[in-house]
């Protein structure tokens, strides 16, 4: 199957001889690029898309981002960022938009949930940040977390490199950044926690939008990790709670720091999104 890059061109290769799919749902928007007319449907929550003419549609799906960990934890990994031309049959297809994982106090975390169109197209959820151990993820890997001693510890691995990147490693008292769709999370160094990996830009709606940034690592008395572009949030220092990642970007939540027996809580991961585009 030929692939589309969503750069504004119409369907290409073997797809050019097959009519474009058509949805009957009210379009979120329309535009013309390179002499080709498009319409698209954006789903920010679970629902359906009704196809009355089978054919190829271009789909962007971003899974939910992972929540950040607490107490010098790692940042949450971004949800998987998947773009492809997909053949859709004439039917009503269920569209699932993955929820972001909850941030947690101390060493806990929650992974992001996958986004999907039926059973034929999926973007995996982001990997949760680790604590003393690597934290792998379906989308991007989470950043590693660490305690008062030991390390360095490696960040989580992205199971599918086509959907995301690895998380950053941790050192004593400073967590690593969660992986983003555009780049890996940064490993902590010195007294500086790791930044979240950058998100990835996409123009399926006619305008470039960056999504799926990684969450920043938390710190104990040092410099926090910044959130990755596209909606990832920064880590915090000492006992402050981290903020939540931006909704419908699939970005990872920032991690909290630590200075007492309590510590702060990590931020929630951002929910995912699904966008379906067809040639009019």
């Amino acid at each position: 199957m030929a692939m589309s890059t969503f750069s504004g061109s119409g369907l290409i290769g073997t797809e050019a001889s097959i009519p474009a799919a058509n949805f009957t749902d009210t379009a979120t928007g329309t535009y013309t690029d390179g002499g080709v007319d498009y319409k698209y449907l954006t789903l920010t929550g679970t629902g359906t898309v009704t196809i009355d003419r089978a054919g190829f549609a271009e789909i962007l799906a971003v899974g939910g981002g992972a929540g950040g960990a607490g107490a010098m934890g790692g940042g949450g990994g971004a949800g998987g960022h998947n773009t492809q031309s997909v053949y859709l049959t004439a039917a009503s297809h269920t569209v699932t938009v993955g929820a972001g994982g909850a941030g947690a106090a101390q060493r806990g975390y929650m992974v992001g949930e996958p986004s999907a169109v039926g059973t034929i197209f999926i973007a995996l959820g982001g990997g949760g940040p680790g604590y003393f151990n690597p934290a792998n993820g379906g989308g991007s890997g989470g950043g590693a977390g660490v305690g008062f001693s030991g390390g360095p510890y490696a960040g989580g691995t992205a199971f599918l490199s086509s959907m995301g990147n690895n998380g950053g490693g941790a050192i004593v008292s400073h967590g690593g950044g969660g992986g983003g769709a555009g780049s890996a999370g940064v490993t902590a160094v010195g007294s500086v926690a790791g930044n979240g990996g950058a998100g990835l830009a996409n123009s399926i709606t006619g305008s470039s939008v960056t999504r799926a940034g990684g969450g920043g690592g938390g710190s104990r008395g040092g410099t926090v990790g910044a959130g990755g572009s596209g909606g990832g949030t920064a880590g915090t220092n000492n006992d402050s709670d981290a903020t939540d990642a931006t909704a419908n970007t699939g970005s990872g939540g920032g991690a909290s720091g630590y200075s007492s027996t309590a510590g702060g809580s990590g931020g929630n991961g951002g929910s995912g999104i699904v966008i379906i585009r067809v040639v009019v």
Side-chain angles (χ1 to χ4, degrees):
M1 181 185 298
M3 301 284 286
S4 170
T5 61
F6 302 136
S7 61
S9 59
L11 298 177
I12 59 176
T14 58
E15 301 163 8
S17 61
I18 299 175
N22 183 68
F23 58 77
T24 60
D25 309 82
T26 300
T28 304
T30 62
Y31 65 96
T32 300
D33 188 6
V36 180
D37 296 327
Y38 297 101
K39 66 176 181 178
Y40 63 90
L41 179 67
T42 299
L43 292 101
T44 56
T46 297
T48 60
V49 57
T50 301
I51 303 297
D52 68 341
R53 183 180 67 221
F56 281 98
E58 297 175 309
I59 301 177
L60 164 67
V62 182
M72 299 173 288
H81 189 287
N82 195 3
T83 58
Q84 190 173 346
S85 290
V86 178
Y87 184 83
L88 297 177
T89 59
S92 179
H93 298 270
T94 298
V95 177
T96 303
V97 174
Q106 299 295 334
R107 304 175 185 182
Y109 64 86
M110 292 292 290
V111 300
E113 297 295 327
S115 295
V117 178
T119 59
I120 59 176
F121 186 79
I122 191 168
L124 300 172
Y131 205 92
F132 296 112
N133 295 302
N136 300 325
S140 289
V146 71
F148 300 107
S149 63
Y153 294 95
T157 300
F159 290 143
L160 294 175
S161 60
S162 61
M163 289 193 191
N165 291 282
N166 297 342
I171 58 175
V172 176
S173 300
H174 309 291
S183 66
V186 177
T187 294
V189 60
S191 61
V192 181
N195 294 338
L200 191 64
N202 182 276
S203 300
I204 190 172
T205 62
S207 299
S208 180
V209 178
T210 300
R211 305 177 179 88
S219 173
R220 183 180 186 230
T223 301
V224 303
S229 59
T233 50
T236 64
N237 202 333
N238 299 325
D239 290 343
S240 300
D241 293 338
T243 55
D244 300 338
T246 304
N248 298 123
T249 66
S251 297
S256 76
Y258 181 91
S259 66
S260 69
T261 56
S265 295
N268 297 335
S271 53
I273 195 168
V274 174
I275 303 174
I276 301 170
R277 183 181 82 166
V278 299
V279 176
V280 178

